[in-house]
């Protein structure tokens, strides 16, 4: 009978310890904010890597329709697509299609 009681007390202490540690670590991570991602630079770099004629001049002009499209994709697009790391993925195709549609939108004055 004493063994059962001792085992119960040890089990209760282990449970209390686990709960205490999880509360302690949960408090430590609640305020954690990941470092900001510069979506504009990453978007610009990705589009710059694509084989598009005249993109360097267009992207250098911050008032061009291409630059406006990049800014919109990076900062305002409600989809907030992942910025692809390589051109041969489905994400890259989706991103570029969205970019092309945004360029078309801005080139027709919305």
């Amino acid at each position: 009978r004493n063994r059962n009681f001792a085992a119960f007390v040890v089990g209760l202490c282990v449970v209390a310890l686990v709960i205490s540690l999880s509360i302690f670590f949960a408090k430590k991570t609640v305020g954690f904010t990941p470092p900001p991602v510069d979506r504009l630079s990453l978007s610009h770099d990705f589009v710059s890597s694509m084989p598009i004629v005249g993109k360097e001049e267009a992207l250098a002009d911050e008032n061009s329709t291409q630059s406006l499209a990049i800014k919109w994709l990076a900062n305002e697009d409600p989809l907030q697509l992942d910025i692809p790391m390589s051109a041969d993925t489905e994400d890259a195709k989706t991103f570029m299609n969205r970019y092309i549609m945004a360029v078309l939108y801005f080139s027709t004055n919305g």
Side-chain angles (χ1 to χ4, degrees), residues 14-25:
V14 168
V15 169
L17 179 64
V18 168
I19 291 172
S20 299
L21 288 174
S22 44
I23 291 171
F24 174 76
F25 286 111

Side-chain angles (χ1 to χ4, degrees), residues 48-77:
S48 294
S49 73
M50 300 305 288
I52 302 170
V53 175
K55 70 178 178 278
E56 291 84 10
E57 298 81 22
L59 291 174
D61 176 4
E62 68 179 51
N63 294 317
S64 71
T65 57
Q66 292 85 346
S67 287
L68 294 172
I70 288 282
K71 289 175 195 171
W72 179 81
L73 268 173
N75 301 322
E76 298 173 37
D77 182 4

Side-chain angles (χ1 to χ4, degrees), residues 27-95:
K27 287 182 180 178
K28 293 266 186 194
T29 58
V30 167
F32 173 75
T33 306
V37 174
D38 185 2
R39 290 183 53 83
L40 183 57
S41 291
L42 291 174
S43 299
H44 188 279
D45 292 347
F46 177 72
V47 171
S48 294
S49 73
M50 300 305 288
I52 302 170
V53 175
K55 70 178 178 278
E56 291 84 10
E57 298 81 22
L59 291 174
D61 176 4
E62 68 179 51
N63 294 317
S64 71
T65 57
Q66 292 85 346
S67 287
L68 294 172
I70 288 282
K71 289 175 195 171
W72 179 81
L73 268 173
N75 301 322
E76 298 173 37
D77 182 4
L79 290 183
Q80 289 296 289
L81 297 173
D82 289 336
I83 300 162
M85 295 296 121
S86 68
D88 58 345
T89 64
E90 217 35 60
D91 286 344
K93 292 175 189 171
T94 303
F95 188 88

